Amino acid sequence: MSLLDFFRLSKPKTAEIAKERLQILVAHQRVERNRPSYLPQLQQELLEVVRKYVNVDQEAISVKFEQDDNQETLELNIVLPEFQSETEEVKDEQVNI
Amino acid sequence: MSLLDFFRLSKPKTAEIAKERLQILVAHQRVERNRPSYLPQLQQELLEVVRKYVNVDQEAISVKFEQDDNQETLELNIVLPEFQSETEEVKDEQVNI
């Protein structure tokens, strides 16, 4: 089973479908354990990139970071604002100009 | 089972352990299907961010993009250069200075 299959199997339940979600997972399989991890800093930059595309608040983002001997994983779960509210924001900006 | 569990279960086989790998997965659960997808462009920006941390060639990156009615998934698999060769590069730079 590939990871893409896993995403397919883990579709939201009906009650959750109303919200758009963006999920980002980063897994780093490490050979050299003594090097400092760059995943926490990478996480910040990933969020900056995501914010270029969607307007997300800090509280809409949940982060998990785990590490064991040879693997580190970073999981970002982001609840996206609804489409309607985004269009309203665009309208507001046009009025301000 | 969480996605982090899946990463734990899908550890590399012994023969593959010698290589460092970075895997990035992005899943977008969409409510509004008519909006254009930003994942292909996001993919480019994610790779630019990763390249700040690790020196990866284009051929070391494999990309899968899949979409169905309410979900899009992007999977980036990156084989990282070995630690030793990176340190050698740093030494070379120091000699040049």
Side-chain angles (χ1 to χ4, degrees):
Chain A
M1 185 172 90
S2 82
L3 271 163
L4 291 180
D5 291 328
F6 188 89
F7 274 127
R8 258 182 240 115
L9 293 171
S10 64
K11 280 182 184 171
K13 294 171 197 126
T14 315
E16 295 172 352
I17 278 179
K19 298 219 169 191
E20 291 222 353
R21 287 168 200 276
L22 190 66
Q23 187 172 37
I24 300 180
L25 289 120
V26 183
H28 184 192
Q29 294 167 6
R30 303 178 74 179
V31 175
E32 177 63 56
R33 296 183 211 169
N34 298 325
R35 299 168 72 185
S37 169
Y38 50 75
L39 288 202
Q41 201 181 336
L42 185 61
Q43 167 196 322
Q44 282 306 316
E45 298 209 35
L46 294 178
L47 285 174
E48 283 166 26
V49 168
V50 167
R51 284 207 173 94
K52 290 185 192 173
Y53 295 90
V54 282
N55 179 23
V56 281
D57 294 331
Q58 195 63 41
E59 60 263 36
I61 301 164
S62 68
V63 177
K64 282 186 211 168
F65 178 63
E66 294 192 7
Q67 54 188 332
D68 62 17
D69 280 353
N70 56 8
Q71 181 154 295
E72 295 174 344
T73 51
L74 174 69
E75 181 177 342
L76 306 175
N77 284 290
I78 303 163
V79 179
L80 301 176
E82 285 170 36
F83 184 42
Q84 279 194 318
S85 58
E86 276 182 59
T87 6
E88 278 162 20
E89 278 167 21
V90 171
K91 278 179 196 162
D92 286 348
E93 281 171 16
Q94 286 169 342
V95 169
N96 291 337
I97 292 164
Chain B
M1 186 172 87
S2 80
L3 271 163
L4 290 181
D5 291 329
F6 188 89
F7 274 127
R8 259 184 239 116
L9 293 171
S10 65
K11 280 182 185 171
K13 292 169 199 130
T14 314
E16 294 172 354
I17 279 179
K19 298 219 172 193
E20 291 222 354
R21 288 167 200 276
L22 190 66
Q23 188 172 37
I24 301 180
L25 290 120
V26 185
H28 184 190
Q29 294 166 7
R30 303 178 74 178
V31 175
E32 177 63 58
R33 296 182 210 171
N34 299 324
R35 299 168 73 186
S37 169
Y38 50 74
L39 288 203
Q41 202 181 335
L42 185 61
Q43 166 196 323
Q44 282 306 316
E45 298 209 34
L46 293 179
L47 285 175
E48 282 166 28
V49 168
V50 167
R51 284 208 173 92
K52 290 185 194 174
Y53 295 91
V54 283
N55 179 24
V56 282
D57 294 331
Q58 195 62 42
E59 61 263 36
I61 302 164
S62 70
V63 178
K64 282 187 211 167
F65 178 63
E66 294 192 7
Q67 56 187 330
D68 63 17
D69 280 354
N70 57 7
Q71 180 152 297
E72 297 174 344
T73 50
L74 174 69
E75 180 177 343
L76 306 176
N77 283 291
I78 302 162
V79 180
L80 300 177
E82 286 170 35
F83 184 41
Q84 279 195 320
S85 58
E86 277 182 58
T87 4
E88 279 161 18
E89 278 168 21
V90 172
K91 278 181 196 158
D92 286 346
E93 281 172 17
Q94 286 170 341
V95 169
N96 290 337
I97 292 164

